[in-house]
Amino acid sequence: MPRKVLEPRFSVEYLSILDSDGNLDAALEPEISPEQLQTLYRAMLLGRRLDERMVRLQRQGRVGTFAPIKGQEASQMGSVFSLRRTDWMVPSFRETAAMLWRGWPIEKLLLFFAGHLEGGQPAPDQRDLPITIPVATQLPHAVGLAYAAQYRGDDVVVMAFFGDGATSEGDFHEALNFAGVWHVPIVFVCQNNQWAISVPIKKQTHSRTLAQKALAYGLPGIQVDGNDVLAVYAASRDAVEQARAGDGPTLIECVTYRLGVHTTADDPTKYRSEEEVQEWERKDPLTRFAAYLQKKNLLPEGLEQEVDAEIAAAVTRFEAAAAADPLRMFDHVYAEPPPHLVAQREEMRERLRSDNAPPEGEPHPSPPMRGQRSTSRWRN
Amino acid sequence: MAVMTYREALNVALREEMRRDPRVFVIGEEVGLYEGAYKVTQGLLKEFGPQRVVDTPIAESGFTGVGIGAAMVGLRPVVEMMTFNFAMLALDQIVNSAAKMYYMSGGQYNIPIVIRGPGGPAHQLAAQHSQSMEVYFYHVPGLKVVRPSTPMDAKGLLKSAIRDDNPVIFIESETLYAVKGEVPDDPEFIIPLGQAVVRREGTDVTVIAYMGMMYRALEAAEELAKEGISVEIVDPRTLRPMDTETIIGSVRKTHRAVVVEAGAGFAGMGSEISASITECAFDDLDAPIERVTGENAPMPYARNLERAKTPSKEKIVDAVRRVCHAQGS
């Protein structure tokens, strides 16, 4: 009865293709057509510019709390770029660039952050889940989508996003465990942006990498330079192909950085140094991808202006939208509204009408006596 | 009409719905090979195979979340909680995802999921295993909550729950699994959600009760009949949406009401039903409404303490006498 090693020491692969200065490891360069490279860059730029605009709109009180993506464009775009339209994307709450790429119109995202219900409504043919706020709870849903694909024999891959903080949540571990046991077609993309609000990654986990957490569930885990869109794309493409071929799930850890605030309600100067931010600004995913494209002569002139004009037009359309209708809060509580909701909706409709109507009649009618009270109020 | 146990009625409901609709599948701990901790899924693995009768790792949040994801794309999962006490581990998935996804997606993704299993007082299952869990769920807009008291209801309501396009919390009871009753054979027999039933007609007082408490109320009614008090018993069956109309209708007839619940009372179903009666039928009442609830303590393990904690027939009898201003015999 010896004491022996059951598992050899594991290793976690790290992938980087394009460094901060735009230097390329040509042997690892993924095959992407010039047009696709330009499309990819444009999508990243659109994410960045809209992000900056959204922060300004929030500061002006035109939209509500918003979680900026600045610095994470490569992590998001490199990964979703490997999906087909028929695949599923499951976001957390910091995937604006990925959502735009997946087909959310800009004004719909603006409406979402202004609180309109229709902002969270995917188009009928769109395979995206809505933004979700409780951390990691979307991951079992993603496994459910993948299980449904397996159940029906659909050729579908699911890609699910989450942050470094989410890897401490039970739902993360449960999702990876289920995905491993069932061997479903899913890719888990962790955007490790170093900070869960004010808690740094060192306080989040004692593991050296987040990627290695996959190994406990019998899944491959890979760490990539999350500010290198080519590395993220290469790893995601491989993981998506593997899932599509029926070879099971992968965890990809994108090592990136949140250059901005956690949300517009946060002030990061309270918990992290300016030097740290500057160090990561030198690793900006857009700058290095632009340098790479420049060397290939693929950087189009006037792209920023074009993207800004697209955003401006969407903001104009968004601002023309009517105020949200209070009665719509009852629309999608149940598939068919039960009687008490119909009654509450009617009560609100009456109130809204009388709030707008001038006062009339007797100012203080006598209170009802026994037997005269209304008996139609259902509260359940 | 066949006579079968509550357990068999649930099993038949699952089997019929799985035969009827290939989108229906069962998922949970021990539902396959072991056929359920309480044998509700007996024979299902054999008939439908492991893709549709899914044994999962022990992770309530995980398999509930998986069910929610599968429901978003049109499957109809029936999630078994070994006991509803364990559903607390999945509470975020149920409250923040199942109940809200239809709303948050602007009507794009409804969640036709049933989460079922036993709950409430049983026989010496103690503090973490005997709670009346419905209170945690019926507060939440977007959820439907069912508590079926008889084998016929178990079948008819479970079938409705599976066909429903909303998330349905379906809480059975360990103490009722062996109860026998008549159950229609017709595979198209269903009982719509949101309909209460009058279990016993009476003229002097309305007792509102469900599950084990409904049976206790029936016993109390027998005893009270000997004293000349005629008790009407209303079983809500669905707690949300609640059939307030039937309850109010009965109170308007009897002018007195006693609400019985097995749980600890404070802010419980009794409070809600009492409030509804006060709001809708205050002028019809001849006496204040009485609530008979469990004591406000965790469920003890010892048999005699368990009995003392749970509402008894005697307590129901006393409450009815009080609202009827009767002294008893």
Side-chain angles (χ1 to χ4, degrees), chain B residues 42-282:
Chain B
Q42 203 146 35
L44 297 186
L45 176 65
K46 196 172 170 210
E47 181 170 348
F48 300 103
Q51 186 94 54
R52 296 185 68 193
V53 184
V54 190
D55 275 325
T56 67
I58 302 178
E60 284 78 6
S61 185
F63 62 69
T64 305
V66 165
I68 293 166
M72 282 187 219
V73 285
L75 295 186
R76 293 187 166 260
V78 179
V79 174
E80 176 169 310
M81 291 290 166
M82 191 178 276
T83 145
F84 250 87
N85 296 267
F86 301 162
M88 293 296 96
L89 288 154
L91 194 60
D92 177 83
Q93 285 292 349
I94 298 170
V95 172
N96 277 323
S97 293
K100 297 187 176 64
M101 193 53 71
Y102 184 56
Y103 177 81
M104 285 170 40
S105 65
Q108 199 61 43
Y109 305 123
N110 66 310
I111 311 293
I113 193 172
V114 177
I115 301 170
R116 53 152 292 273
H123 298 304
Q124 288 195 274
L125 292 178
Q128 297 173 320
H129 218 109
S130 316
Q131 301 165 89
S132 297
M133 307 306 288
E134 60 269 30
V135 293
Y136 297 93
F137 302 105
Y138 58 58
H139 185 71
V140 183
L143 296 181
K144 294 188 177 181
V145 180
V146 179
R147 296 228 61 188
S149 307
T150 67
M152 190 189 290
D153 282 6
K155 182 182 177 189
L157 290 166
L158 182 55
K159 288 166 72 76
S160 277
I162 292 170
R163 297 182 191 189
D164 201 275
D165 286 330
N166 303 282
V168 181
I169 305 296
F170 191 94
I171 310 181
E172 303 148 10
S173 168
E174 283 100 332
T175 60
L176 298 183
Y177 282 136
V179 166
K180 285 186 177 172
E182 289 194 330
V183 177
D185 299 314
D186 179 6
E188 280 312 304
F189 162 75
I190 57 161
I191 297 173
L193 304 187
Q195 287 186 7
V197 65
V198 175
R199 294 282 179 206
R200 179 192 167 106
E201 292 201 9
T203 53
D204 296 331
V205 56
T206 300
V207 174
I208 300 111
Y210 52 91
M211 308 302 282
M213 293 302 109
M214 190 278 291
Y215 292 95
R216 223 157 268 183
L218 282 171
E219 289 168 25
E222 284 299 313
E223 187 170 325
L224 289 157
K226 293 176 200 152
E227 298 170 18
I229 298 176
S230 166
V231 177
E232 175 144 307
I233 295 176
V234 178
D235 180 346
R237 302 199 285 198
T238 304
L239 303 183
R240 188 178 183 121
M242 182 169 281
D243 178 3
T244 319
E245 205 170 359
T246 298
I247 295 170
I248 301 299
S250 174
V251 173
R252 287 215 174 105
K253 183 176 81 174
T254 64
H255 307 293
R256 292 179 176 84
V258 172
V259 191
V260 190
E261 66 179 308
F266 184 87
M269 189 33 75
S271 322
E272 182 59 37
I273 292 174
S274 301
S276 289
I277 295 171
T278 310
E279 284 177 341
C280 300
F282 182 78

Side-chain angles (χ1 to χ4, degrees), chain A residues 230-373:
Chain A
L230 298 183
V232 177
Y233 171 71
S236 305
R237 177 204 55 199
D238 292 352
V240 167
E241 276 175 15
Q242 179 189 313
R244 204 181 301 285
D247 293 330
T250 304
L251 169 62
I252 301 174
E253 175 192 358
C254 301
V255 180
T256 180
Y257 193 78
R258 159 165 62 79
L259 288 172
V261 291
H262 163 70
T263 69
T264 45
D266 168 48
D267 174 10
T269 63
K270 300 270 191 259
Y271 53 79
R272 65 185 193 186
S273 70
E274 191 53 37
E275 293 74 47
E276 183 186 297
V277 179
Q278 283 167 358
E279 187 191 321
W280 280 93
E281 274 171 351
R282 282 193 290 278
K283 303 178 192 171
D284 190 308
L286 275 161
T287 321
R288 81 172 77 168
F289 193 37
Y292 167 79
L293 292 180
Q294 191 73 62
K295 280 178 200 164
K296 288 183 179 279
N297 253 333
L298 287 175
L299 203 58
E301 292 280 319
L303 188 60
E304 284 203 5
Q305 290 80 349
E306 184 195 314
V307 163
D308 285 350
E310 186 183 338
I311 294 168
V315 170
T316 306
R317 288 194 296 275
F318 155 69
E319 304 234 289
D325 177 1
L327 294 178
R328 290 212 54 198
M329 76 171 76
F330 300 107
D331 283 359
H332 302 299
V333 185
Y334 293 95
E336 287 142 14
H340 72 275
L341 267 193
V342 175
Q344 280 181 18
R345 188 180 191 279
E346 193 51 31
E347 207 175 294
M348 183 179 283
R349 205 174 60 82
E350 283 298 318
R351 177 175 296 280
L352 292 170
R353 198 160 55 188
S354 62
D355 284 353
N356 295 330
E360 54 176 273
E362 207 178 319
H364 299 292
S366 317
M369 305 299 282
R370 250 177 292 175
Q372 295 179 335
R373 290 181 185 86

Side-chain angles (χ1 to χ4, degrees), chain A residues 142-163:
Chain A
V143 177
L145 298 175
Y147 185 78
Q150 196 182 60
Y151 189 99
R152 289 170 158 152
D154 289 345
D155 178 14
V156 164
V157 173
V158 181
M159 181 175 278
F161 286 91
F162 52 100

Side-chain angles (χ1 to χ4, degrees), chain A residues 13-249:
Chain A
E13 196 187 341
Y14 175 82
L15 180 63
S16 163
I17 299 175
L18 195 61
D19 75 10
S20 312
D21 301 322
N23 298 315
L24 179 77
D25 183 336
L28 294 172
E29 186 182 16
E31 210 174 292
I32 310 176
S33 73
E35 296 74 32
Q36 290 287 76
L37 284 171
Q38 287 180 322
T39 306
L40 188 51
Y41 180 74
R42 190 185 191 283
M44 287 168 66
L45 186 66
L46 179 64
R48 169 71 58 94
R49 301 297 285 188
L50 177 63
D51 201 69
E52 291 169 348
R53 187 68 197 269
M54 295 266 262
V55 173
R56 291 202 299 277
L57 288 169
Q58 193 279 335
R59 298 300 184 226
Q60 294 159 357
R62 291 146 90 185
V63 298
T65 306
F66 162 68
I69 61 158
K70 190 176 177 185
Q72 301 181 212
E73 295 85 353
S75 293
Q76 299 182 15
M77 281 313 306
S79 44
V80 281
F81 203 70
S82 62
L83 292 181
R84 296 178 186 162
R85 290 285 154 201
T86 47
D87 293 331
W88 277 93
M89 187 196 75
V90 180
S92 65
F93 54 77
R94 199 190 300 285
E95 280 80 27
T96 318
M99 290 177 76
L100 291 170
W101 174 253
R102 292 287 298 176
W104 294 84
I106 298 172
E107 59 263 41
K108 214 166 187 175
L109 285 177
L110 292 167
L111 283 170
F112 177 86
F113 286 106
H116 290 247
L117 269 178
E118 50 270 43
Q121 184 185 43
D125 60 344
Q126 203 181 334
R127 290 189 161 178
D128 295 63
L129 295 195
I131 287 172
T132 185
I133 302 299
V135 174
T137 60
Q138 74 279 17
L139 301 180
H141 306 164
V143 177
L145 298 175
Y147 185 78
Q150 196 182 60
Y151 189 99
R152 289 170 158 152
D154 289 345
D155 178 14
V156 164
V157 173
V158 181
M159 181 175 278
F161 286 91
F162 52 100
D164 40 302
T167 63
S168 299
E169 288 279 8
D171 273 356
F172 163 78
H173 295 273
E174 294 184 21
L176 259 69
N177 189 37
F178 279 65
V181 172
W182 293 338
H183 216 61
V184 289
I186 186 167
V187 179
F188 296 98
V189 180
C190 176
Q191 298 193 72
N192 173 6
N193 69 13
Q194 313 301 323
W195 290 91
I197 309 187
S198 71
V199 177
I201 187 71
K202 277 194 164 29
K203 285 190 182 173
Q204 199 67 243
T205 181
H206 192 52
S207 300
R208 186 160 164 218
T209 68
L210 297 176
Q212 75 199 56
K213 291 179 189 280
L215 306 181
Y217 302 105
L219 308 177
I222 179 169
Q223 191 185 62
V224 301
D225 180 347
N227 285 7
D228 170 2
V229 72
L230 298 183
V232 177
Y233 171 71
S236 305
R237 177 204 55 199
D238 292 352
V240 167
E241 276 175 15
Q242 179 189 313
R244 204 181 301 285
D247 293 330

